[in-house]
């Protein structure tokens, strides 16, 4: 009898269970399980703080058909702990490693435009080639801050594109394929118009400044005076 397919889900956000990355993977996990794919979830920060963390994730990788990383965008790339984990994995695997699971990256950012995540996805593609993973594709999710760690079910219309994208990805993996184009198209759609995003972001910026009594100095240009 053939064993069930297995997926290793890696949460790359420092916020761990309170993150949008975790929310995306949790929703995906439900549909992977519905399609008969067994899942295991690991958190990058926990792995790095455990003496045998990297050895254990290598063992999980070697026992998985799919490795799926979900992480936030920090400026233009991945969080430092995720990059460190990748470096440590690269120290134990090569492009000629015998077991080659499919690697998929789901990158979310606070920017409203999904294309801001493209560089990080390309970085993940290079990592996959370096360590002997089959590249399955990437999903760029813009406006991920709107989810803010809520489950995709609770997020309502804010996750109206992310939910079907995760469902399509689960079905595609169950069929032995990578990220479907339709899933990329869906998750790349803006959650709210840019002008509304800018308005909300500006209000949030002013609110945070008020906490420190700096809201009247937001237009200051000290280096020009």
């Amino acid at each position: 009898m053939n064993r069930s397919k297995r997926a290793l889900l890696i949460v790359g956000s420092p916020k761990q269970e309170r993150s949008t990355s975790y929310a995306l993977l949790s929703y995906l996990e439900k549909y992977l399980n519905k399609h008969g794919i067994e899942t295991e979830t690991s958190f990058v920060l926990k792995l790095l703080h455990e003496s045998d963390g990297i050895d254990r994730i290598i063992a999980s990788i070697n026992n998985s058909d799919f490795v799926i990383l979900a992480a936030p965008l920090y400026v233009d790339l991945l969080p430092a702990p995720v990059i460190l984990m990748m470096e440590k994995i690269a120290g134990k695997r090569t492009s000629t490693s015998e077991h080659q699971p499919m690697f998929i990256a789901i990158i979310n950012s606070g920017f409203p435009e999904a294309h801001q995540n493209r560089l990080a996805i390309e970085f993940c593609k290079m990592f996959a080639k370096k360590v002997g993973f089959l590249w399955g594709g990437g999903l760029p999710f813009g406006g991920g801050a709107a989810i803010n760690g809520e489950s995709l079910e609770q997020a309502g219309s804010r996750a109206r594109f992310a939910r079907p994208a995760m469902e399509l990805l689960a079905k595609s993996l169950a069929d032995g394929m990578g990220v479907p184009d339709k899933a990329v198209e869906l998750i790349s759609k803006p959650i709210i118009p840019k002008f509304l995003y800018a308005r909300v972001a500006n209000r949030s910026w002013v609110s945070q400044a008020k906490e420190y009594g700096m809201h009247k100095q937001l237009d200051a240009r000290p280096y020009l005076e």
Side-chain angles (χ1 to χ4, degrees):
M1 178 182 291
N2 294 330
R3 71 168 179 81
S4 299
K5 291 182 179 179
R6 294 171 179 162
L8 172 61
L9 311 179
I10 303 176
V11 180
S13 174
K15 292 182 179 180
Q16 303 189 88
E17 290 94 339
R18 298 178 294 106
S19 67
T20 297
S21 299
Y22 180 70
L24 290 165
L25 288 180
S26 293
Y27 191 85
L28 174 63
E29 181 178 32
K30 294 177 184 178
Y31 284 85
L32 289 173
N33 294 159
K34 284 183 179 180
H35 288 291
I37 299 177
E38 298 178 0
T39 51
E40 174 189 352
T41 300
S42 292
F43 297 86
V44 170
L45 278 188
K46 292 179 181 179
L47 290 169
L48 293 176
H49 283 91
E50 297 170 352
S51 59
D52 63 342
I54 297 301
D55 289 334
R56 288 194 297 103
I57 198 170
I58 290 292
S60 294
I61 287 170
N62 291 336
N63 197 36
S64 298
D65 301 283
F66 310 103
V67 177
I68 307 169
L69 168 70
L73 187 75
Y74 279 15
V75 187
D76 287 317
L77 211 53
L78 302 170
V82 176
I83 296 175
L84 178 58
M85 178 198 69
M86 288 178 164
E87 290 174 344
K88 289 182 178 294
I89 290 174
K92 294 178 178 289
R93 286 183 56 95
T94 68
S95 59
T96 59
S97 294
E98 183 176 350
H99 180 63
Q100 298 188 329
M102 182 182 291
F103 183 65
I104 290 163
I106 305 172
I107 309 299
N108 71 89
S109 72
F111 298 115
E113 308 93 353
H115 69 78
Q116 301 279 2
N117 299 317
R118 296 295 182 183
L119 181 61
I121 288 176
E122 284 300 312
F123 182 87
C124 290
K125 183 178 180 180
M126 293 173 61
F127 164 73
K129 182 178 180 180
K130 174 74 175 177
V131 300
F133 291 158
L134 302 176
W135 177 241
L139 286 172
F141 183 35
I147 305 299
N148 197 31
E150 288 185 73
S151 70
L152 296 196
E153 294 91 342
Q154 293 176 332
S157 63
R158 287 167 290 149
R160 64 188 181 280
F161 303 128
R163 286 191 298 269
M166 294 299 104
E167 293 166 23
L168 286 171
L169 175 58
K171 175 62 167 60
S172 184
L173 295 183
D175 292 337
M177 302 171 67
V179 176
D181 292 341
K182 184 61 177 178
V184 176
E185 178 186 337
L186 279 168
I187 207 165
S188 298
K189 291 183 177 181
I191 299 174
I192 59 175
K194 288 184 181 180
F195 79 90
L196 183 57
Y197 176 90
R199 184 180 301 171
V200 172
N202 283 335
R203 286 181 179 176
S204 176
W205 182 244
V206 172
S207 177
Q208 292 179 57
K210 283 183 177 179
E211 292 182 18
Y212 298 93
M214 301 297 293
H215 58 288
K216 294 183 179 180
Q217 299 184 46
L218 290 177
D219 294 326
R221 298 188 292 175
Y223 294 108
L224 296 179
E225 296 175 354

